[in-house]
Amino acid sequence: MPDAIAVPDTNNSPATARLDQTQWPRFRDLPEPRMAALYTANGSGTKLYQGFLDGHPQIYMVPAYPLMYLYPHWEQWQEELADNWNWAALIDVFCVKHASVIDTRRIPGHDGLAELGDKQNDFIAIDEPLFRSYLAHLLEGEPVRARTFLLAVHYAYAHCRGERLQDKRVLVYHIHVHEYLPQYLFPDFPDALVIGTVRDPRSNIRGRYNSSEVGVDLIKMNKTDALIYRGRVYYFICRYMYEGLDILRGHPEEKVRVVRHEDLLQVHQRRAVEAGAGNRRGVRQAILLRRVLDVARRPAQRDAPVHGRQWQA
């Protein structure tokens, strides 16, 4: 049974997000939050970790990983939009290639965000015209850079959810892929905090192998080719699972945190236990929030969410 975590209702943009545009800030006027990159070091648990943070008033965060390929796409767009390299063109292509940021039904993946709620038929959507307008307003006059765009997308997303941008201190970017940290993120955010999730490899290596190997087509491959392919699948899965943390060599140790998926599951399971759970939950939240991200623990987290839907993460 998947692990259910609460996702606040974001389908209706609060009225506070529709302020007169003359009151909208510029990108340069907003204090830059600390970058915290969330990725899978060798297994899983990133979405579960996000579930403990979602809706925190001091954190910018887009649920799951619809922005995972933003940096590779940026490289692609530099070639495709070379003759039209401006913010307007980039906003247009972003809203197509990363449409699930606006409405999780548009590019459904394996993150479960188009199957929310008890009946798994709910979704998350924000006001696209508002998102486009606010993003364009933020970026007007700014140099065209991936770093600026990544920050501004999170600002605009939070604005569309009616969040108070002046309260934000940390941006949790679910970049997901470990190779993207040194290749893309560290050059833009050299002081980034990195949060990696690890897991006992024995718990999911079979599932990873089966999901990767099942596509072998014996009609197009002879049996020898298929055996070689399957062997390479196992080899690369093992490399990923055992070397996922090696990618961080050279990054300051004080800026790296590693979370065990098994520990997150225990935290989540104990949250469902009412008797005597309050103090333990408060300690765990302090570890997840204040010690790792240096943000306050929310009083509302001590109880089950009132307005929320279940996420089969």
Side-chain angles (χ1 to χ4, degrees), residues 187-203:
D188 276 350
F189 299 91
D191 295 325
L193 172 69
V194 178
I195 304 170
T197 56
V198 296
R199 185 177 185 178
D200 185 338
R202 296 170 297 180
S203 64

Side-chain angles (χ1 to χ4, degrees), residues 4 40 173 177 287:
T40 54
Y173 175 29
V177 181
I287 294 172

Side-chain angles (χ1 to χ4, degrees), residues 15-274:
T16 53
R18 296 181 173 278
L19 296 173
D20 188 323
Q21 291 191 21
T22 60
Q23 301 181 44
W24 288 358
R26 295 293 184 183
F27 179 86
R28 65 187 72 91
D29 299 327
L30 291 171
E32 182 173 317
R34 183 184 188 188
M35 171 59 69
L38 180 62
Y39 87 108
T40 54
N42 80 335
S44 55
T46 49
K47 289 181 293 183
L48 183 59
Y49 185 84
Q50 279 189 296
F52 292 109
L53 309 179
D54 197 273
H56 192 287
Q58 293 179 313
I59 298 176
Y60 288 108
M61 186 170 64
V62 175
Y65 35 76
L67 296 174
M68 175 172 59
Y69 298 122
L70 180 59
Y71 272 106
H73 280 163
W74 186 270
E75 287 188 336
Q76 178 183 345
W77 299 338
Q78 285 180 310
E79 296 182 7
E80 296 177 349
L81 302 175
D83 296 331
N84 191 28
W85 188 243
N86 56 66
W87 287 128
L90 286 165
I91 292 173
D92 285 342
V93 71
F94 174 84
C95 290
V96 173
K97 295 295 186 180
H98 295 266
S100 57
V101 172
I102 298 168
D103 188 323
T104 56
R105 299 169 297 176
R106 294 188 183 178
I107 308 179
H110 301 289
D111 55 18
L113 290 181
E115 301 170 342
L116 296 170
D118 295 335
K119 297 182 179 180
Q120 299 185 22
N121 61 356
D122 209 346
F123 59 94
I124 294 176
I126 59 175
D127 186 322
E128 181 173 353
L130 178 62
F131 176 79
R132 285 174 170 267
S133 298
Y134 193 80
L135 185 57
H137 178 86
L138 286 173
L139 295 171
E140 184 178 354
E142 297 293 329
V144 179
R145 297 186 299 179
R147 184 185 193 280
T148 303
F149 193 67
L150 174 62
L151 292 169
V153 164
H154 281 85
Y155 298 168
Y157 184 84
H159 175 78
C160 290
R161 293 184 59 182
E163 299 176 10
R164 287 169 50 89
L165 274 60
Q166 60 267 37
D167 294 339
K168 302 297 185 181
R169 297 184 57 181
V170 178
L171 190 158
V172 176
Y173 175 29
H174 193 163
I175 195 168
H176 201 69
V177 181
H178 61 281
E179 292 95 341
Y180 292 170
L181 292 169
Q183 184 176 0
Y184 298 119
L185 197 72
F186 291 163
D188 276 350
F189 299 91
D191 295 325
L193 172 69
V194 178
I195 304 170
T197 56
V198 296
R199 185 177 185 178
D200 185 338
R202 296 170 297 180
S203 64
N204 69 342
I205 190 169
R206 182 185 296 274
R208 287 185 177 275
Y209 176 79
N210 289 337
S211 63
S212 300
E213 174 268 334
V214 73
V216 176
D217 188 348
L218 289 176
I219 297 176
K220 297 180 181 179
M221 292 184 178
N222 60 42
K223 292 186 177 182
T224 302
D225 290 339
L227 287 173
I228 294 173
Y229 175 82
R230 290 173 178 173
R232 287 178 60 81
V233 168
Y234 183 73
Y235 166 75
F236 283 113
I237 288 175
C238 288
R239 278 195 59 183
Y240 165 72
M241 299 187 77
Y242 286 99
E243 299 178 6
L245 291 173
D246 287 346
I247 203 75
L248 299 178
R249 290 186 184 277
H251 198 64
E253 290 186 7
E254 66 273 13
K255 296 175 183 176
V256 176
R257 300 290 186 274
V258 177
V259 182
R260 294 177 69 245
H261 190 186
E262 291 84 356
D263 292 339
L264 289 175
L265 287 174
Q266 290 180 9
V267 171
H268 174 62
Q269 290 164 359
R270 289 174 184 171
R271 289 181 69 178
V273 180
E274 294 293 334

